[in-house]
Every structure is written in structure tokens, then in C-alpha cells.
Amino acid sequence: MAMQTGGWSNPPRLCFIGFGEAGQAFAGGFREAGIVEIAAFDIAPDPARVVDPAQRLGVRLAADLPSALSGADFVFCAVTAASSLDVAQSAAAHLEPCQIFIDVNSVSPGRKREAAAALGSGGRYIDLAIMAPVHPRGHATPCLVAGNDAATFIEMFSPFGMTLKQAGSEIGSATIIKMVRSVMVKGLEALSYECFMAARAADVDAVILDSLKDSYPGLDWPSLVPYNVSRMLQHGTRRAAEMREVAATLRELGVDPAVTEGTVTQQERLGALGLPGDPDDGLALLDLVADALAETDRAS
């Protein structure tokens, strides 16, 4: 029989609202770490994206939100940025006071505070920011945690392999670090694409690579550029949504997000191509992107 810790089972019983890349990566890691009671709810109609992974990972896929939440100790919310507040409002009606709602969505601090307020007394809220790609480390990917229950969450989940650091007790203290950091991380991806698309068109890519090597000797530009472009191709649509939240964060801070808004455009443009990006293609990957963009322009 599972031990009880602070009113929760140990191992804890989990629920994932949204069972995409992050949810599946975390659930798989938790299962390997010994957490076996995991439920999930996702509105995606594609069985290959949700049903098949749930069966493979041993996760109970619920037919509706109340069924998914029932019996869970900790609820991980990993949906799209645009729907995060709606989901929190929907979950509020079904959460018990002992259940902890973990908001892992890439949204602005203001949006997370709105989500926390939406829960009211029907649950407890944690602001969790995932600070690196979820593959290959899964649930062990470094995360920042904020909220009144942050220390409790860290105490509960660190023994199961999570890499957690407390960012503060105030909601938004974790996500603001992620949002500001994304200005550079996702912006560098967009700059890599834009710079080397121009360099490729002008047939000066080798010269630009040599110049950047001299200016930034610690960076492996021949590998970094195609990797950055491949990330945009694979995740650009989701990254564009995140960067809109980054722009909102900057405005909350009184900073004009001029460059970040350009990053939104470039991330969205490449993500919409549906082009598989293989970083092993090197700078030739940019030629594939150019051809795909030209085909899109002709079709429109």
C-alpha cells in the first residue's frame, strides 16, 4: 500500500492536462522512477499523438477532465499558451483543496497569476518553468519552481529524479526567468536563420562563418546554425506562441519587444512549413527551407 505524505500518496498519483511532448516526456520519466498511477486528458483527436503514447507509457487516458482529475494528488497542466487560462478556469470547478495544480505552460507571469487566481480555494497552484528541451532528460530536465507550495513540491519530487530549484514564493517568479531567457534563446534561433539565409543567398556563408568564429570563438557556428534552424522547423509554431507571451512579459516590465516580435514572425513562418529539419544537413538545410518558402509563395 502506498504511504501517505501530507495527505498525498507516496508515490504520488498524477494527472496531466495536455498530453503532448512535455506531458509524455515527464510521464515516461515518472513511470521509470516508480510513479505508476498517472492519468491524462487531451482534446487532440489524433490517436497517434495521444492514444498510442498513453498506451505505450501505461498512462490512463481519461474521457473528460473530471475523470482525469479524480484521485490525483498533483495535476500538471501542459497545454498551449492560448488555452492555459481557460484550462485553469475549467479545472477550478473540479479540484479538491488538497490537490496541487502545476502550471508548466510557457506564458507570462501575469497570465500565471491570472490562472492561480482562477483556482480560488479549489486547489493550490505552482508556477513551474521548464528551462531546457524535455528530450533527452524527460522529467529530469531542469525546472524552476515558485509558489507557496514550491518547497513541498521540491521535497516530494526530487527523490523521483526531478531537477528542481526554488525561484521564490510569488507566482511568476519562475516563469519570468524562463520568459526573459527565451528572448535570447529563441531570438538566437531566428537570428541564425535570418543571417545565414542572407549569407547563403549572397554566397558568403563561408566568409560569415569565419568571421563569427573570430568574434565568438566559443561557439561552433557550423553546427549551431543548422541546429537552430531545425528547432524552428520542428517547434516553430509552439515557439511563436511562447514568444508572444515573452513579448507580453516584456511589456509588463516596460520594455519594448521589438526584436521579440520579429522572432515571433520567423518562428511562425518556419514552423508552418511542416518541413522535417535534420541538423546533419548542415547549411544545406537552408536551401530546403528556401525551396519550401518559394513553393508556399507560389501556392498563395
Side-chain angles (χ1 to χ4, degrees), residues 123-299:
R124 292 147 69 177
Y125 183 98
I126 282 179
D127 166 20
L128 187 142
I130 302 173
M131 299 303 292
V134 294
H135 295 295
R137 288 176 285 187
H139 76 305
T141 303
C143 296
L144 298 176
V145 190
N148 290 333
D149 290 297
T152 299
F153 180 83
I154 292 172
E155 181 180 359
M156 173 64 80
F157 283 92
S158 292
F160 292 101
M162 291 196 80
T163 305
L164 303 169
K165 183 176 180 180
Q166 188 165 352
S169 60
E170 182 180 349
I171 300 301
S173 299
T175 197
I176 197 167
I177 296 171
K178 177 182 176 69
M179 293 287 101
V180 173
R181 178 179 179 272
S182 288
V183 173
M184 182 62 69
V185 175
K186 276 74 173 185
L188 186 58
E189 291 174 351
L191 284 172
S192 297
Y193 159 74
E194 192 166 306
C195 175
F196 279 89
M197 280 293 280
R200 199 86 171 154
D203 196 24
V204 294
D205 41 311
V207 178
I208 298 296
L209 283 173
D210 286 342
S211 178
L212 289 174
K213 181 180 178 181
D214 290 339
S215 299
Y216 303 94
L219 295 177
D220 180 8
W221 290 100
S223 298
L224 181 63
V225 172
Y227 173 77
N228 282 344
V229 174
S230 73
R231 297 292 291 174
M232 294 176 71
L233 291 170
Q234 295 167 19
H235 307 293
T237 301
R238 189 181 73 227
R239 277 162 148 66
E242 176 182 332
M243 294 309 290
R244 289 190 180 92
E245 292 297 317
V246 171
T249 301
L250 295 181
R251 292 188 186 97
E252 290 173 9
L253 296 171
V255 176
D256 179 8
V259 174
T260 294
E261 288 178 337
T263 299
V264 171
T265 299
Q266 296 292 34
Q267 291 278 358
E268 194 164 47
R269 178 179 290 130
L270 264 67
L273 292 176
L275 189 67
D278 188 345
D280 290 339
D281 289 337
L283 294 186
L285 180 59
L286 291 162
D287 299 332
L288 299 177
V289 173
D291 291 342
L293 288 171
E295 183 63 29
T296 299
D297 290 342
R298 285 192 293 270

Side-chain angles (χ1 to χ4, degrees), residues 48 50 62 66 69 78 86 91 97-98 100 105 112 130 133 145 219 254 275 283 298:
V50 177
L69 294 171
D86 290 339
C98 63
I100 293 188
N105 299 297
K112 288 210 170 180
I130 302 173
V145 190
L219 295 177
L275 189 67
L283 294 186
R298 285 192 293 270

